[in-house]
Amino acid sequence: MKRSTLAIILTCCSSGIFVPSAFAITTPADQDKLRIHTSMPRRTSDSLFSYTAEWRIDDGELYRSTGLSFLNAHKFDDPTQAHAVTKKLLTSMKDGMIQLDPNWRGITITQPPEQAELIIANKTGYSLTTVTVRDYSNQGLRFDLADKNFNADGVQVAFDLVFSADVEYLDGFSSKKALTASQGEIEIKIDDQKPIHIKTDGKTTRELEQEIAKQLSVSHLAETPLYPGMVSNDTRNNKPFDGSEVQFLNLAAKSIAIDITDPALGVLAKFKFKDENHSVKVVEPRFMLGALALTVLLAIIYFRRKNQQKSI
């Protein structure tokens, strides 16, 4: 094989290494953000509050973590310091993330000093996909995207009313499971608009959701969930979809709040992020080198056989 021929082959093959590769689209930090404004629980028994954040590494695997706490109004010394409740919720999520490898922890959970506010945000190269908040403690909750508009930022919202008995009832240890609300009120407020108020007395969760959808033109009653629920044996926390929820798919607002005073009711607040930040596949340099070596080897074999045939 002539040296000039081999040089041409090497030049042509190696030039592929210097062809500009496609740049990966990396999601910037804090692109996806949810703020949860908490308050003091009203219930004087241990009541569940949990929240699950799910995120995805750009164009890669999905990960999730859950923070779980039990809140009791009698266990907080100062009823005016709601930030103490928030601190407990913050700690629960940090504890839940311990089981994940540090490289998989694609979100940050923070609490501004002395504020009753949790901030969930993505890290660089990760995207939030969903956040589910489950509250059975009857505390007022408000949600926003840190001054962004839900609709403009592509975040869909849903409220699923549920019975407290779904997480409190234990067969053989509790009284008969309630199938209707007891007595109280639901208040929902969007931005600075006048809130709606719905009496809960003796109604089913579906009936209450129908009333909400009727009073709020920006919502509708849906019979399929905003996103699939978590598959888990712990149904006391991750309850199956009960057949209906109120969805806000195009919420042209910056904040939404819900406050339930009926001890027989809880709420699942769901947030679905647009999750469109897919990255472009980039060929690894070591793969390019391997392809080059294989090409050169095949060229050498080809020319050797060609020379052998000529000599014959």
Side-chain angles (χ1 to χ4, degrees):
M1 180 178 181
K2 295 182 180 180
R3 291 183 180 180
S4 59
T5 305
L6 181 58
I8 292 172
I9 295 172
L10 289 172
T11 302
C12 293
C13 295
S14 61
S15 64
I17 299 176
F18 300 104
V19 175
S21 299
F23 288 102
I25 302 172
T26 302
T27 306
D30 296 336
Q31 174 179 280
D32 305 322
K33 183 181 292 186
L34 178 68
R35 294 198 304 192
I36 307 172
H37 303 266
T38 61
S39 60
M40 293 296 294
R42 293 189 182 90
R43 299 192 63 183
T44 55
S45 58
D46 288 345
S47 302
L48 176 70
F49 184 104
S50 73
Y51 60 117
T52 299
E54 184 182 78
W55 62 91
R56 174 183 55 77
I57 189 170
D58 281 347
D59 209 29
E61 295 295 325
L62 283 167
Y63 301 94
R64 69 166 64 98
S65 182
T66 296
L68 188 150
S69 301
F70 287 92
L71 306 177
N72 187 326
H74 283 171
K75 294 182 179 179
F76 293 94
D77 297 332
D78 188 346
T80 65
Q81 295 186 0
H83 62 82
V85 177
T86 313
K87 184 178 181 180
K88 185 172 183 178
L89 304 180
L90 173 70
T91 302
S92 69
M93 180 60 89
K94 288 185 175 181
D95 291 344
M97 292 181 70
I98 290 176
Q99 61 182 323
L100 293 175
D101 184 280
N103 293 324
W104 299 345
R105 300 171 192 172
I107 59 170
T108 60
I109 312 288
T110 56
Q111 176 188 9
E114 305 301 307
Q115 297 294 313
E117 177 185 313
L118 282 173
I119 304 173
I120 303 174
N122 69 294
K123 292 181 180 179
T124 301
Y126 299 83
S127 300
L128 266 177
T129 55
T130 63
V131 176
T132 306
V133 178
R134 312 170 189 86
D135 178 46
Y136 296 86
S137 69
N138 289 154
Q139 64 172 291
L141 295 169
R142 181 165 59 88
F143 307 93
D144 65 59
L145 305 178
D147 298 325
K148 291 183 179 180
N149 184 297
F150 285 101
N151 185 25
D153 214 44
V155 178
Q156 300 176 347
V157 184
F159 287 153
D160 187 1
L161 299 179
V162 291
F163 291 117
S164 300
D166 288 335
V167 295
E168 296 173 345
Y169 177 77
L170 291 174
D171 191 21
F173 293 91
S174 303
S175 57
K176 187 177 179 180
K177 191 174 181 178
L179 299 177
T180 59
S182 56
Q183 188 174 23
E185 187 178 78
I186 299 172
E187 177 186 285
I188 298 178
K189 185 176 182 180
I190 297 174
D191 283 346
D192 294 325
Q193 300 174 19
K194 183 179 178 180
I196 67 164
H197 295 88
I198 295 175
K199 293 291 184 182
T200 62
D201 307 20
K203 299 172 185 175
T204 66
T205 55
R206 186 181 181 88
E207 289 172 339
L208 292 168
E209 290 164 352
Q210 287 175 330
E211 287 193 41
I212 293 172
K214 185 177 180 179
Q215 290 199 38
L216 290 174
S217 59
V218 295
S219 67
H220 74 280
L221 185 70
E223 296 184 350
T224 55
L226 185 61
Y227 49 82
M230 289 176 58
V231 178
S232 172
N233 293 327
D234 183 15
T235 55
R236 294 185 65 203
N237 180 29
N238 305 312
K239 73 178 298 295
F241 182 61
D242 59 8
S244 64
E245 66 183 21
V246 182
Q247 295 181 358
F248 306 78
L249 303 185
N250 295 290
L251 184 59
K254 290 185 176 180
S255 70
I256 185 168
I258 184 166
D259 192 358
I260 300 175
T261 61
D262 190 330
L265 290 176
V267 63
L268 308 185
K270 304 177 180 180
F271 302 86
K272 182 180 180 182
F273 291 77
K274 57 186 178 182
D275 188 26
E276 293 178 346
N277 303 308
H278 297 289
S279 60
V280 178
K281 293 292 185 182
V282 179
V283 179
E284 292 284 346
R286 59 177 176 270
F287 173 79
M288 292 297 295
L289 292 173
L292 171 62
L294 179 61
T295 303
V296 172
L297 178 61
L298 292 175
I300 292 172
I301 294 173
Y302 170 78
F303 282 104
R304 279 185 178 176
R305 287 183 177 178
K306 191 173 181 180
N307 290 335
Q308 288 176 356
Q309 290 173 355
K310 285 182 179 180
S311 63
I312 295 173

mmCIF file of all heavy atoms in Angstrom, residues 38-41 69 71 75-91 111 114-117:
data_model
loop_
_atom_site.group_PDB
_atom_site.id
_atom_site.type_symbol
_atom_site.label_atom_id
_atom_site.label_comp_id
_atom_site.label_asym_id
_atom_site.label_seq_id
_atom_site.Cartn_x
_atom_site.Cartn_y
_atom_site.Cartn_z
ATOM 1 N N THR A 38 -47.110 28.206 52.657
ATOM 2 C CA THR A 38 -47.802 27.369 53.634
ATOM 3 C C THR A 38 -48.352 28.220 54.779
ATOM 4 O O THR A 38 -48.125 29.431 54.850
ATOM 5 C CB THR A 38 -46.852 26.292 54.181
ATOM 6 O OG1 THR A 38 -45.743 26.937 54.836
ATOM 7 C CG2 THR A 38 -46.306 25.426 53.052
ATOM 8 N N SER A 39 -49.061 27.581 55.698
ATOM 9 C CA SER A 39 -49.616 28.276 56.863
ATOM 10 C C SER A 39 -49.729 27.283 58.013
ATOM 11 O O SER A 39 -49.264 26.142 57.904
ATOM 12 C CB SER A 39 -50.984 28.887 56.528
ATOM 13 O OG SER A 39 -51.895 27.882 56.130
ATOM 14 N N MET A 40 -50.365 27.684 59.093
ATOM 15 C CA MET A 40 -50.503 26.804 60.247
ATOM 16 C C MET A 40 -51.603 25.770 60.007
ATOM 17 O O MET A 40 -52.667 26.101 59.469
ATOM 18 C CB MET A 40 -50.849 27.621 61.496
ATOM 19 C CG MET A 40 -49.730 28.536 61.960
ATOM 20 S SD MET A 40 -48.257 27.624 62.486
ATOM 21 C CE MET A 40 -48.874 26.763 63.928
ATOM 22 N N PRO A 41 -51.378 24.522 60.406
ATOM 23 C CA PRO A 41 -52.442 23.523 60.300
ATOM 24 C C PRO A 41 -53.552 23.832 61.301
ATOM 25 O O PRO A 41 -53.292 24.366 62.388
ATOM 26 C CB PRO A 41 -51.726 22.212 60.639
ATOM 27 C CG PRO A 41 -50.577 22.625 61.506
ATOM 28 C CD PRO A 41 -50.140 23.962 60.982
ATOM 29 N N SER A 69 -44.556 14.486 56.106
ATOM 30 C CA SER A 69 -44.595 14.969 57.486
ATOM 31 C C SER A 69 -45.989 14.749 58.071
ATOM 32 O O SER A 69 -46.973 14.611 57.327
ATOM 33 C CB SER A 69 -44.277 16.469 57.565
ATOM 34 O OG SER A 69 -43.014 16.758 57.031
ATOM 35 N N LEU A 71 -48.455 16.791 60.699
ATOM 36 C CA LEU A 71 -48.594 18.090 61.346
ATOM 37 C C LEU A 71 -49.722 18.061 62.365
ATOM 38 O O LEU A 71 -50.768 17.449 62.142
ATOM 39 C CB LEU A 71 -48.870 19.172 60.294
ATOM 40 C CG LEU A 71 -47.862 19.271 59.138
ATOM 41 C CD1 LEU A 71 -48.306 20.338 58.149
ATOM 42 C CD2 LEU A 71 -46.467 19.559 59.663
ATOM 43 N N LYS A 75 -48.833 21.025 68.447
ATOM 44 C CA LYS A 75 -47.406 20.795 68.650
ATOM 45 C C LYS A 75 -46.532 21.969 68.226
ATOM 46 O O LYS A 75 -45.308 21.876 68.262
ATOM 47 C CB LYS A 75 -46.987 19.528 67.902
ATOM 48 C CG LYS A 75 -47.615 18.266 68.470
ATOM 49 C CD LYS A 75 -47.141 17.013 67.747
ATOM 50 C CE LYS A 75 -47.777 15.764 68.355
ATOM 51 N NZ LYS A 75 -47.353 14.518 67.667
ATOM 52 N N PHE A 76 -47.174 23.059 67.821
ATOM 53 C CA PHE A 76 -46.424 24.272 67.484
ATOM 54 C C PHE A 76 -46.687 25.319 68.548
ATOM 55 O O PHE A 76 -47.838 25.714 68.778
ATOM 56 C CB PHE A 76 -46.825 24.779 66.091
ATOM 57 C CG PHE A 76 -46.417 23.857 64.976
ATOM 58 C CD1 PHE A 76 -47.308 22.915 64.488
ATOM 59 C CD2 PHE A 76 -45.140 23.915 64.429
ATOM 60 C CE1 PHE A 76 -46.938 22.051 63.467
ATOM 61 C CE2 PHE A 76 -44.758 23.053 63.412
ATOM 62 C CZ PHE A 76 -45.658 22.116 62.929
ATOM 63 N N ASP A 77 -45.622 25.745 69.222
ATOM 64 C CA ASP A 77 -45.757 26.643 70.370
ATOM 65 C C ASP A 77 -46.372 27.990 70.013
ATOM 66 O O ASP A 77 -47.224 28.510 70.724
ATOM 67 C CB ASP A 77 -44.382 26.864 71.025
ATOM 68 C CG ASP A 77 -43.803 25.566 71.578
ATOM 69 O OD1 ASP A 77 -44.617 24.690 71.942
ATOM 70 O OD2 ASP A 77 -42.569 25.435 71.622
ATOM 71 N N ASP A 78 -45.921 28.573 68.910
ATOM 72 C CA ASP A 78 -46.373 29.902 68.527
ATOM 73 C C ASP A 78 -47.196 29.810 67.251
ATOM 74 O O ASP A 78 -46.651 29.571 66.169
ATOM 75 C CB ASP A 78 -45.171 30.826 68.302
ATOM 76 C CG ASP A 78 -45.597 32.279 68.101
ATOM 77 O OD1 ASP A 78 -46.802 32.520 67.876
ATOM 78 O OD2 ASP A 78 -44.728 33.166 68.171
ATOM 79 N N PRO A 79 -48.528 29.996 67.350
ATOM 80 C CA PRO A 79 -49.384 29.853 66.168
ATOM 81 C C PRO A 79 -49.138 30.907 65.097
ATOM 82 O O PRO A 79 -49.648 30.794 63.988
ATOM 83 C CB PRO A 79 -50.804 29.977 66.732
ATOM 84 C CG PRO A 79 -50.637 30.743 68.010
ATOM 85 C CD PRO A 79 -49.302 30.322 68.554
ATOM 86 N N THR A 80 -48.364 31.954 65.414
ATOM 87 C CA THR A 80 -48.095 33.002 64.430
ATOM 88 C C THR A 80 -46.846 32.712 63.602
ATOM 89 O O THR A 80 -46.572 33.414 62.637
ATOM 90 C CB THR A 80 -47.919 34.367 65.122
ATOM 91 O OG1 THR A 80 -46.748 34.330 65.965
ATOM 92 C CG2 THR A 80 -49.136 34.707 65.960
ATOM 93 N N GLN A 81 -46.088 31.695 63.973
ATOM 94 C CA GLN A 81 -44.839 31.391 63.276
ATOM 95 C C GLN A 81 -45.031 30.209 62.326
ATOM 96 O O GLN A 81 -44.580 29.102 62.579
ATOM 97 C CB GLN A 81 -43.711 31.118 64.273
ATOM 98 C CG GLN A 81 -43.357 32.349 65.106
ATOM 99 C CD GLN A 81 -42.136 32.114 65.979
ATOM 100 O OE1 GLN A 81 -41.556 31.040 65.966
ATOM 101 N NE2 GLN A 81 -41.747 33.142 66.716
ATOM 102 N N ALA A 82 -45.698 30.493 61.226
ATOM 103 C CA ALA A 82 -45.959 29.440 60.244
ATOM 104 C C ALA A 82 -44.686 28.943 59.583
ATOM 105 O O ALA A 82 -44.653 27.837 59.041
ATOM 106 C CB ALA A 82 -46.932 29.957 59.187
ATOM 107 N N HIS A 83 -43.614 29.744 59.650
ATOM 108 C CA HIS A 83 -42.362 29.308 59.015
ATOM 109 C C HIS A 83 -41.781 28.077 59.701
ATOM 110 O O HIS A 83 -40.968 27.357 59.113
ATOM 111 C CB HIS A 83 -41.339 30.444 58.995
ATOM 112 C CG HIS A 83 -40.932 30.937 60.350
ATOM 113 N ND1 HIS A 83 -39.973 30.312 61.112
ATOM 114 C CD2 HIS A 83 -41.370 31.993 61.081
ATOM 115 C CE1 HIS A 83 -39.821 30.968 62.253
ATOM 116 N NE2 HIS A 83 -40.651 31.986 62.255
ATOM 117 N N ALA A 84 -42.200 27.824 60.972
ATOM 118 C CA ALA A 84 -41.747 26.614 61.661
ATOM 119 C C ALA A 84 -42.344 25.376 61.000
ATOM 120 O O ALA A 84 -41.698 24.323 60.917
ATOM 121 C CB ALA A 84 -42.132 26.671 63.132
ATOM 122 N N VAL A 85 -43.586 25.505 60.517
ATOM 123 C CA VAL A 85 -44.211 24.410 59.776
ATOM 124 C C VAL A 85 -43.456 24.173 58.473
ATOM 125 O O VAL A 85 -43.141 23.040 58.101
ATOM 126 C CB VAL A 85 -45.692 24.744 59.475
ATOM 127 C CG1 VAL A 85 -46.332 23.646 58.632
ATOM 128 C CG2 VAL A 85 -46.466 24.933 60.773
ATOM 129 N N THR A 86 -43.137 25.274 57.794
ATOM 130 C CA THR A 86 -42.444 25.185 56.514
ATOM 131 C C THR A 86 -41.081 24.520 56.672
ATOM 132 O O THR A 86 -40.660 23.731 55.823
ATOM 133 C CB THR A 86 -42.267 26.585 55.902
ATOM 134 O OG1 THR A 86 -43.500 27.287 55.990
ATOM 135 C CG2 THR A 86 -41.835 26.494 54.454
ATOM 136 N N LYS A 87 -40.398 24.843 57.752
ATOM 137 C CA LYS A 87 -39.080 24.250 58.003
ATOM 138 C C LYS A 87 -39.185 22.730 58.136
ATOM 139 O O LYS A 87 -38.328 21.987 57.649
ATOM 140 C CB LYS A 87 -38.462 24.852 59.261
ATOM 141 C CG LYS A 87 -37.050 24.355 59.532
ATOM 142 C CD LYS A 87 -36.455 25.027 60.762
ATOM 143 C CE LYS A 87 -35.028 24.530 61.014
ATOM 144 N NZ LYS A 87 -34.424 25.180 62.205
ATOM 145 N N LYS A 88 -40.237 22.275 58.781
ATOM 146 C CA LYS A 88 -40.441 20.828 58.924
ATOM 147 C C LYS A 88 -40.684 20.188 57.560
ATOM 148 O O LYS A 88 -40.174 19.103 57.269
ATOM 149 C CB LYS A 88 -41.629 20.570 59.856
ATOM 150 C CG LYS A 88 -41.854 19.095 60.159
ATOM 151 C CD LYS A 88 -42.915 18.904 61.229
ATOM 152 C CE LYS A 88 -43.063 17.424 61.565
ATOM 153 N NZ LYS A 88 -44.062 17.193 62.635
ATOM 154 N N LEU A 89 -41.449 20.860 56.708
ATOM 155 C CA LEU A 89 -41.715 20.334 55.368
ATOM 156 C C LEU A 89 -40.448 20.320 54.520
ATOM 157 O O LEU A 89 -40.219 19.415 53.725
ATOM 158 C CB LEU A 89 -42.791 21.176 54.678
ATOM 159 C CG LEU A 89 -44.129 21.311 55.420
ATOM 160 C CD1 LEU A 89 -45.092 22.169 54.616
ATOM 161 C CD2 LEU A 89 -44.728 19.949 55.725
ATOM 162 N N LEU A 90 -39.618 21.334 54.692
ATOM 163 C CA LEU A 90 -38.343 21.406 53.976
ATOM 164 C C LEU A 90 -37.438 20.237 54.372
ATOM 165 O O LEU A 90 -36.859 19.555 53.522
ATOM 166 C CB LEU A 90 -37.653 22.735 54.289
ATOM 167 C CG LEU A 90 -36.223 22.912 53.756
ATOM 168 C CD1 LEU A 90 -36.234 23.045 52.241
ATOM 169 C CD2 LEU A 90 -35.578 24.146 54.386
ATOM 170 N N THR A 91 -37.343 19.990 55.675
ATOM 171 C CA THR A 91 -36.499 18.903 56.175
ATOM 172 C C THR A 91 -36.969 17.546 55.657
ATOM 173 O O THR A 91 -36.159 16.675 55.327
ATOM 174 C CB THR A 91 -36.484 18.898 57.712
ATOM 175 O OG1 THR A 91 -36.009 20.167 58.182
ATOM 176 C CG2 THR A 91 -35.592 17.802 58.252
ATOM 177 N N GLN A 111 -35.966 27.542 51.534
ATOM 178 C CA GLN A 111 -36.921 28.332 52.312
ATOM 179 C C GLN A 111 -36.280 29.668 52.658
ATOM 180 O O GLN A 111 -35.251 29.704 53.345
ATOM 181 C CB GLN A 111 -37.314 27.603 53.603
ATOM 182 C CG GLN A 111 -38.245 28.416 54.501
ATOM 183 C CD GLN A 111 -38.482 27.769 55.856
ATOM 184 O OE1 GLN A 111 -37.827 26.780 56.209
ATOM 185 N NE2 GLN A 111 -39.409 28.319 56.614
ATOM 186 N N GLU A 114 -37.092 32.860 57.758
ATOM 187 C CA GLU A 114 -38.273 33.268 58.517
ATOM 188 C C GLU A 114 -39.532 33.425 57.652
ATOM 189 O O GLU A 114 -40.472 34.124 58.047
ATOM 190 C CB GLU A 114 -38.019 34.588 59.256
ATOM 191 C CG GLU A 114 -36.794 34.574 60.173
ATOM 192 C CD GLU A 114 -36.895 33.504 61.254
ATOM 193 O OE1 GLU A 114 -37.922 33.488 61.975
ATOM 194 O OE2 GLU A 114 -35.963 32.690 61.379
ATOM 195 N N GLN A 115 -39.559 32.748 56.493
ATOM 196 C CA GLN A 115 -40.717 32.841 55.615
ATOM 197 C C GLN A 115 -41.434 31.491 55.527
ATOM 198 O O GLN A 115 -40.800 30.444 55.526
ATOM 199 C CB GLN A 115 -40.300 33.280 54.206
ATOM 200 C CG GLN A 115 -39.689 34.661 54.137
ATOM 201 C CD GLN A 115 -40.683 35.746 54.493
ATOM 202 O OE1 GLN A 115 -41.815 35.765 54.005
ATOM 203 N NE2 GLN A 115 -40.254 36.670 55.353
ATOM 204 N N ALA A 116 -42.772 31.545 55.447
ATOM 205 C CA ALA A 116 -43.566 30.329 55.279
ATOM 206 C C ALA A 116 -43.693 30.034 53.784
ATOM 207 O O ALA A 116 -44.774 30.080 53.198
ATOM 208 C CB ALA A 116 -44.935 30.505 55.917
ATOM 209 N N GLU A 117 -42.557 29.723 53.183
ATOM 210 C CA GLU A 117 -42.500 29.563 51.726
ATOM 211 C C GLU A 117 -41.453 28.530 51.346
ATOM 212 O O GLU A 117 -40.315 28.593 51.782
ATOM 213 C CB GLU A 117 -42.158 30.920 51.097
ATOM 214 C CG GLU A 117 -41.980 30.910 49.603
ATOM 215 C CD GLU A 117 -41.531 32.279 49.098
ATOM 216 O OE1 GLU A 117 -42.147 33.285 49.511
ATOM 217 O OE2 GLU A 117 -40.568 32.345 48.314
#
